[in-house]
Amino acid sequence: MVNSSVKMPCNVLQKKEDNVEFFFWYKNDGVTAFYTLDARRQRLGEAHHVKNESYSSRIQFHPTAEQPYLQIDNLKEDDTGTYFCRVDYQWSATELTKINLVVVVPPKKLIVRDDTGQEVRNIAGPYKEHSDVTLSCEAQKGFPTPNVTWWKDNKLWDNTFQKTQTGVINEMKLNNLSRLELFATFHCKAQNTMLTSPVSRTIVLDMYLYPLTVRITSRPLPRAAGRRVDLACESEGSRPSAKLSWLLNGSALTDHIETVHDNVTSSVLRFLPKSQHYGLPLVCRAQNPKLYDSKLDDVRVLNITYIPQVSLRLIKEEVGRQPKEDDYIRLVCDIDANPSVLKVGWLFNDLPLSHNQSSTDIVSGNTLVFKRLTRRNRGRYKCYAINEEGRGISQELTLNISHAPVCKENQQITYAVGLNQTVTVRCEVEAVPTDVTFKWEFSNTVRKHYNLQHTSDGVVSVASYMPVTAADYGTLFCWANNSVGHQQSSCFFTVIAPACNPERTNVNASSLSRDGSEEVWNHSVITTGAGIVASIFIVTAACAFYIRRIYLEKKHRPMGPIMEEDVTIYSRVQCHNSGPQPRI
């Protein structure tokens, strides 16, 4: 072994009649002895020693030993070689002894490297589970060439090695690492002699492990919207410990607390269910933070119970046009509810809707059908739905119905005015849209006037009228029209002479309706007839007044009070007592 000592014997024939004169030591093919002993004039114990200076004090020949030998101390690697001992006698022939010396040099050191060429000290990795790993062990120097082997659990694992320029290398390949290889211990050994123990390095494998399981542990019960709950999830098998995350329909939830105990990661999510969460996937995801491809999910489809979500929409014949009279339309109540709806109802102007299934509106499930719209259907509509969670109500939908103008009810229809006095007659209609135009006419049994002067402001028109003669009393008619159509029945106003005790009468100014209401027709006929009768009596009274005046003027009497004449209009007594009177 290097750094040790060796004794190389030299054979000598012990003859009484002959003496040894010289010992010469040669190495390999050298012609010059590196060690010489001269005993020609002295005994062997006192002989003169001559040695090569390169060996210094490391070598010493012992000629007096029972078996003469050359001792070399502190052996070096280059001491290896073939040595020759030559013995010269005084009379006998020279003897030559050949000795082969091999100096064993153990490997200087072992170097373990990973796949990337980085030196591994004691722990290799960490490596991904299921990955392939190569560890190379190199024995540097050493003579003779050492054997480099890998061992596991005191069993030979790999003995394939090869010599390189720098030493001897054994590359150990580990394919598809399993989690059982975590903390596995491998030994690399290099040995070139049985004289000493092999040089050894111990390597421990470290690994990243995938999560084995992830599970939402909370019971899969229906959850009520608006009521906060705690949901639990746990995962095990990951190294390092898995990170747990929660996702709702792919969006991360952050209100959760995570704990780790004995390689089990637990997470509790504070969750506020909402109605829109119904049917969405809730995911608890476990992932090793060191392994990007280690995601493991447990998915639960949420069953959220909630008060019905209700919205109201209008379906009409023509898109983009406001509904008008006689249209067929539907109001649809869209309902989203869990559990199922028990009842659907309707509100009209905040009151429960009463409907007539034989004429205008029909309730069919969640649909309100108007077979033929009328103005009475105009108003505010809502629908509601009830389930086990409660009652949900829709937004308000205002139904505006376009229609041709009609007279507004409860207008003043009788105006009393004296001759040559101007009266302002106000005509108001109901119409959608309200952009209307008006037309006025005057009529009685004597004359008609068309296109009376008037002013208009929206759905109100005002006409100024002045009776000049008694024949100018009668009825004013007002019509309007808009983009939907013309007013079917006019509004009418009666202009009469003022009464002795004037009294204005406010009655219904409704025009003849399109649906043929008998009450409106009767009122129109009576009122118009009254106007005609009034005109006849006014003319008669005027004639009597003029005759009397002529008679008084002939008698040269002063003008007295105007004679009162009884005129019956609407069962009331009226007389002409104001305004200038015409002369005949």
Side-chain angles (χ1 to χ4, degrees):
M1 288 287 298
V2 69
N3 298 324
S4 63
S5 298
V6 65
K7 296 178 180 180
M8 293 185 291
C10 183
N11 295 326
V12 178
L13 296 175
Q14 299 294 333
K15 297 179 180 181
K16 295 182 178 180
E17 66 277 7
D18 202 354
N19 296 317
V20 175
E21 292 187 340
F22 289 97
F23 283 94
F24 298 98
W25 283 92
Y26 301 91
K27 182 180 179 182
N28 297 329
D29 295 331
V31 295
T32 303
F34 64 88
Y35 197 105
T36 302
L37 185 144
D38 186 357
R40 287 176 298 180
R41 298 181 178 84
Q42 306 171 52
R43 290 179 300 191
L44 288 177
E46 299 174 354
H48 181 64
H49 295 256
V50 178
K51 48 189 172 182
N52 193 308
E53 293 180 356
S54 62
Y55 288 93
S56 182
S57 59
R58 290 194 308 119
I59 60 175
Q60 184 63 45
F61 184 61
H62 299 273
T64 58
E66 182 178 356
Q67 174 72 52
Y69 63 89
L70 178 68
Q71 180 174 332
I72 304 178
D73 297 324
N74 195 19
L75 284 172
K76 298 180 179 180
E77 184 178 358
D78 56 4
D79 290 336
T80 297
T82 302
Y83 290 83
F84 298 93
C85 177
R86 173 183 149 188
V87 182
D88 288 348
Y89 297 95
Q90 182 177 6
W91 306 110
S92 301
T94 298
E95 285 185 315
L96 188 65
T97 302
K98 181 181 178 181
I99 303 167
N100 290 319
L101 176 64
V102 177
V103 179
V104 177
V105 180
K108 185 175 181 180
K109 66 177 180 177
L110 293 178
I111 298 177
V112 178
R113 292 185 174 88
D114 60 18
D115 308 73
T116 65
Q118 297 296 318
E119 183 177 354
V120 177
R121 298 294 182 181
N122 299 310
I123 298 177
Y127 296 106
K128 289 174 54 177
E129 184 181 359
H130 306 307
S131 64
D132 297 331
V133 175
T134 300
L135 293 176
S136 64
C137 181
E138 180 182 8
Q140 294 184 339
K141 298 187 176 180
F143 183 82
T145 301
N147 296 333
V148 180
T149 55
W150 283 99
W151 298 70
K152 179 185 179 184
D153 298 332
N154 295 321
K155 294 181 181 179
L156 182 63
W157 186 266
D158 189 336
N159 63 351
T160 59
F161 56 87
Q162 58 184 354
K163 187 174 183 180
T164 65
Q165 294 180 348
T166 58
V168 179
I169 293 180
N170 184 327
E171 290 188 348
M172 176 179 64
K173 296 184 181 297
L174 302 174
N175 297 321
N176 192 24
L177 283 180
S178 72
R179 60 179 52 242
L180 297 177
E181 302 297 336
L182 177 64
F183 299 137
T185 301
F186 291 87
H187 304 277
C188 176
K189 297 181 179 180
Q191 189 174 27
N192 56 2
T193 179
M194 299 300 295
L195 298 176
T196 60
S197 299
V199 179
S200 178
R201 283 285 305 275
T202 300
I203 299 298
V204 176
L205 284 186
D206 191 10
M207 295 178 62
Y208 292 145
L209 304 181
Y210 288 88
L212 289 176
T213 62
V214 61
R215 183 169 60 95
I216 298 176
T217 57
S218 301
R219 297 176 63 188
L221 299 175
R223 307 292 179 178
R227 301 176 190 172
R228 191 176 294 275
V229 294
D230 291 342
L231 300 177
C233 179
E234 64 180 30
S235 173
E236 59 183 345
S238 175
R239 186 174 188 278
S241 299
K243 295 294 182 182
L244 295 182
S245 57
W246 294 84
L247 299 98
L248 179 60
N249 199 31
S251 299
L253 303 177
T254 58
D255 189 9
H256 60 95
I257 299 175
E258 184 176 296
T259 57
V260 179
H261 181 69
D262 291 339
N263 199 34
V264 177
T265 304
S266 301
S267 177
V268 176
L269 172 70
R270 294 284 290 163
F271 181 60
L272 181 63
K274 299 180 180 179
S275 59
Q276 57 265 37
H277 296 160
Y278 174 76
L280 296 183
L282 178 66
V283 176
C284 178
R285 173 171 293 170
Q287 184 173 15
N288 186 324
K290 299 296 184 180
L291 302 176
Y292 72 91
D293 59 344
S294 62
K295 296 177 183 177
L296 193 62
D297 293 346
D298 187 21
V299 182
R300 178 169 296 176
V301 177
L302 293 178
N303 182 14
I304 307 299
T305 59
Y306 50 92
I307 295 174
Q309 307 294 305
V310 187
S311 63
L312 186 58
R313 59 189 173 95
L314 170 66
I315 298 179
K316 52 189 177 179
E317 293 176 325
E318 296 184 22
V319 177
R321 180 178 66 79
Q322 183 169 300
K324 62 183 182 65
E325 282 188 306
D326 296 331
D327 275 357
Y328 173 90
I329 68 167
R330 290 177 293 158
L331 295 182
V332 178
C333 188
D334 294 319
I335 304 171
D336 177 20
N338 185 42
S340 299
V341 169
L342 302 175
K343 179 182 178 181
V344 178
W346 295 83
L347 299 176
F348 177 55
N349 293 332
D350 297 325
L351 297 175
L353 178 66
S354 60
H355 58 278
N356 182 352
Q357 294 193 358
S358 64
S359 58
T360 54
D361 48 283
I362 302 174
V363 175
S364 174
N366 65 333
T367 303
L368 181 61
V369 180
F370 295 90
K371 297 184 294 184
R372 183 180 180 186
L373 277 179
T374 65
R375 292 193 305 281
R376 76 175 182 85
N377 301 129
R378 179 177 54 198
R380 296 173 287 109
Y381 289 85
K382 295 179 183 177
C383 66
Y384 62 87
I386 299 175
N387 67 358
E388 293 177 357
E389 289 294 324
R391 178 176 182 262
I393 191 165
S394 72
Q395 84 284 8
E396 183 178 277
L397 189 151
T398 300
L399 184 59
N400 292 317
I401 302 173
S402 296
H403 60 87
V406 295
C407 286
K408 187 172 182 179
E409 296 180 351
N410 300 322
Q411 296 186 75
Q412 178 183 347
I413 65 169
T414 302
Y415 291 83
V417 62
L419 294 176
N420 295 316
Q421 290 185 342
T422 301
V423 65
T424 300
V425 180
R426 184 179 186 275
C427 176
E428 183 175 357
V429 297
E430 294 179 349
V432 179
T434 58
D435 184 13
V436 299
T437 59
F438 285 90
K439 180 178 69 172
W440 288 80
E441 289 185 4
F442 171 83
S443 177
N444 60 21
T445 58
V446 179
R447 64 181 62 180
K448 285 188 177 183
H449 300 298
Y450 299 97
N451 299 324
L452 296 181
Q453 183 178 0
H454 64 276
T455 60
S456 301
D457 183 11
V459 293
V460 177
S461 180
V462 177
S464 296
Y465 183 73
M466 184 178 66
V468 177
T469 67
D472 292 329
Y473 290 101
T475 303
L476 294 178
F477 297 91
C478 166
W479 287 274
N481 65 77
N482 62 5
S483 59
V484 176
H486 298 283
Q487 183 173 343
Q488 296 298 311
S489 298
S490 64
C491 305
F492 50 85
F493 308 91
T494 303
V495 179
I496 62 176
C500 295
N501 185 15
E503 178 182 349
R504 288 187 176 183
T505 303
N506 291 324
V507 296
N508 195 326
S510 299
S511 63
L512 299 180
S513 63
R514 293 174 62 185
D515 55 6
S517 172
E518 182 179 351
E519 179 184 356
V520 176
W521 275 106
N522 291 337
H523 176 74
S524 176
V525 172
I526 292 172
T527 307
T528 305
I532 296 173
V533 173
S535 299
I536 294 172
F537 277 103
I538 290 170
V539 172
T540 303
C543 292
F545 168 75
Y546 291 141
I547 294 172
R548 180 176 178 78
R549 181 174 179 179
I550 293 171
Y551 173 77
L552 292 177
E553 284 181 354
K554 287 183 179 181
K555 289 189 173 187
H556 303 285
R557 295 179 181 179
M559 179 69 68
I562 299 175
M563 180 184 66
E564 296 181 355
E565 296 291 335
D566 294 336
V567 179
T568 302
I569 299 177
Y570 281 86
S571 301
R572 289 182 295 176
V573 177
Q574 297 183 357
C575 61
H576 299 280
N577 58 1
S578 62
Q581 305 302 318
R583 293 180 180 271
I584 298 178

